[in-house]
Every structure is written in C-alpha cells, then in structure tokens.
Amino acid sequence: MAFRELIDTHGPRLSPADRAIVDVLLSHPTEAAFLPADQVTERAGVHVAAATRLAKKLGCTGYPQLRELFRSELLDGTDAAGRVQRRLDRADDVLGGLVSDETAALRELPAVVPADRLDAVAGRVLAARRTLVFARGNATVLSGMLARRLRRFGLLVTELPGADRDLAEELISLGPDDLVLALAFRRPPRALPPLLRTAAETGAPVVVLTDLPATFGTGEDLDVLLAPRGSSAEFQSLTAPMAVANALVLTLARLAGDRTTPALQRLDELLDRFDS
C-alpha cells in the first residue's frame, strides 16, 4: 500500500504527534524523504520515538522502512515526462524561469558546501595514489568533465566502467591509497552500494557528490559534497553539481599550485607538439 493510502486508511488512529510528522513529510517531501527520524521529529516538534510509533502504526518495522516507502512513492510518481511538464506549466518564459531557478540553487551552495569541506575533499584527492570516478546515467556527463580536469593536473584518474562485471574487475586493485569519487543524483545507482561496501572493506576513502541529503552519512572515510538541484518533482539540470565540481577543481589548484601548474604547462607543450 502506498504511503498516502496508509495515511488515509489509518487516519482515525493517528495521534497529534503522528499528524505533526506526516505534515512535515508532506509539506517538504523532496527534502524530508531523505532525512533521518531525529531531524523529521525535531521539525515536527515531537519526541524522536514518535517516528517509530508512527511507522509501526502504519505496519512498518520501523521508521527507515516507512521513509523508504515514502521515498519510493515520491520518486516513482515523478516520471521524466511529468517532471518536464510540471516545469513548463510553472512559467511561459522557459529560459527566464530556468535562469531564475538555477540562480536560486547556485546561491544556496556556499551555505551547504563550506570552504573547509572543499579543502578537506581536495586534500583527499591530492593524497590519493589514484582517483576512481564513478557515475551512471546523466551524471556521466559531469563525471567525464571532472575526470578530464583532474588528469590535466597530472593526477592519476580511472573512470569506472558502466558494466557491472567490468566494474568488479576494476575494483580488484582498489586499495587504501586510492580514492573513490562517486556522483549520484536523484536516486543512488544500483551499483553504488556494492561499490561503497567494497571501498569500506579495502579502506579506500570515498567522496560522494550528490543532491540526496542524508542518504549518505559522513565519517572518517566518507565525505559528502551536497549540491541541491531544486524540486525532484520537476525538471532538474546539472548546473549546481557542475559548480561544486568546478569549485573542487579550483580548490585543488589553490592548494597544490606547485603540482597543478607544471602539469598544465606540460599539457600546453604536449598539445603544441601533437598539433604541429
């Protein structure tokens, strides 16, 4: 049964605390679908245990299962055609509306991606023996650009292949001196969880550039660069993630100019050689 159907069915049994949580979920679905129970209940103004009670009241084993149900309904109900149409229905001026939305998304970035986070991630890239870049779908457009820019800095980069068997073969040599840089937007690719488990087993640190808040934790071996792209119910572009990726590239240049500048100069020499 879908989330909204569960709410309608169990409506008479819902307490004021239950309804407060439901209001948070339905008022801000795109964000709330990825928040942990404590953040949802904090916004609802109720005790964190209320989230578990609500989940069990609706027939779930706990709040994580309820959140997954809500998240699946949110994503499954926003097909590509519908997302484009909702964006078109909002304004007659397509370019003007798009520029306005993208500008708003870009303005949020300095608050969600502070300079010290970029410095930390750049430090990990510079310290790695090699960087393995992972992406699927539309994200491969951005991952290819990022991998190329890292190579131009003289860094050793491997773009992980799309086929799962090829990916598995590439990960045989993964070690603690490597860095996995994954890009995941809208929903995590099917191959990403096994990749993260493999990285954890080998001790390889991971950086995830994503628009999925609270889907990936942060810890000693995992950093998240969050790039919100607006409502997932509408058409979304890669403008905000690309800005974060470019900021990471520039941060690398700032922190390691003694490495990146000679590499770029060598690139110019090689381009002249091959052009001639």
Side-chain angles (χ1 to χ4, degrees):
M1 187 177 294
F3 177 81
R4 293 176 188 271
E5 293 176 347
L6 285 174
I7 298 301
D8 293 339
T9 301
H10 295 82
R13 299 178 53 211
L14 298 183
S15 67
D18 295 332
R19 294 191 178 279
I21 295 172
V22 172
D23 286 344
V24 170
L25 293 174
L26 296 182
S27 298
H28 306 281
T30 303
E31 181 180 8
F34 299 96
L35 292 177
D38 59 342
Q39 293 187 35
V40 172
T41 53
E42 180 180 358
R43 296 187 182 194
V46 298
H47 192 275
V48 66
T52 302
R53 289 196 293 267
L54 171 62
K56 292 185 175 180
K57 195 175 294 184
L58 297 179
C60 298
T61 57
Y63 185 76
Q65 184 182 9
L66 177 63
R67 182 181 60 187
E68 185 59 34
L69 178 67
F70 180 67
R71 183 186 302 172
S72 297
E73 180 176 327
L74 175 68
L75 294 177
D76 292 342
T78 52
D79 58 281
R83 293 196 303 273
V84 171
Q85 189 59 52
R86 274 185 283 275
R87 182 63 192 82
L88 293 175
D89 290 342
R90 216 162 29 90
D92 293 331
D93 182 0
V94 174
L95 180 58
L98 184 62
V99 169
S100 177
D101 287 349
E102 299 300 332
T103 300
L106 290 172
R107 284 175 176 162
E108 292 182 12
L109 290 181
V112 296
V113 188
D116 59 349
R117 174 59 60 82
L118 281 173
D119 286 352
V121 171
R124 288 196 150 189
V125 173
L126 293 170
R129 178 177 67 93
R130 61 171 176 163
T131 298
L132 292 84
V133 182
F134 169 86
R136 291 289 186 271
N138 291 341
T140 57
V141 176
L142 182 54
S143 67
M145 181 275 291
L146 185 55
R148 171 168 287 190
R149 291 190 181 277
L150 295 182
R151 286 195 194 96
R152 290 184 172 191
F153 282 166
L155 302 176
L156 182 60
V157 179
T158 298
E159 293 185 72
L160 292 174
D164 289 347
R165 294 184 65 86
D166 294 337
L167 173 59
E169 291 178 2
E170 193 68 54
L171 295 178
I172 293 174
S173 61
L174 182 66
D177 294 334
D178 297 321
L179 171 75
V180 174
L181 177 55
L183 291 80
F185 307 119
R186 184 166 173 73
R187 67 177 77 198
R190 181 179 56 82
L192 182 56
L195 172 59
L196 296 181
R197 288 198 301 271
T198 304
E201 291 171 356
T202 59
V206 176
V207 174
V208 182
L209 174 58
T210 182
D211 62 349
L212 305 172
T215 300
F216 311 95
T218 56
E220 181 179 352
D221 292 321
L222 193 149
D223 278 310
V224 174
L225 291 176
L226 187 60
R229 300 192 297 154
S231 172
S232 63
E234 295 184 0
F235 171 84
Q236 295 173 309
S237 79
L238 292 174
T239 301
M242 182 172 289
V244 176
N246 284 327
L248 175 60
V249 170
L250 291 173
T251 301
L252 288 165
R254 177 175 60 82
L255 294 180
D258 57 335
R259 289 177 58 182
T260 59
T261 300
L264 291 174
Q265 292 171 342
R266 177 59 173 162
L267 173 62
D268 287 336
E269 294 173 359
L270 291 173
L271 288 175
D272 288 341
R273 177 177 301 171
F274 282 95
D275 285 344
S276 62

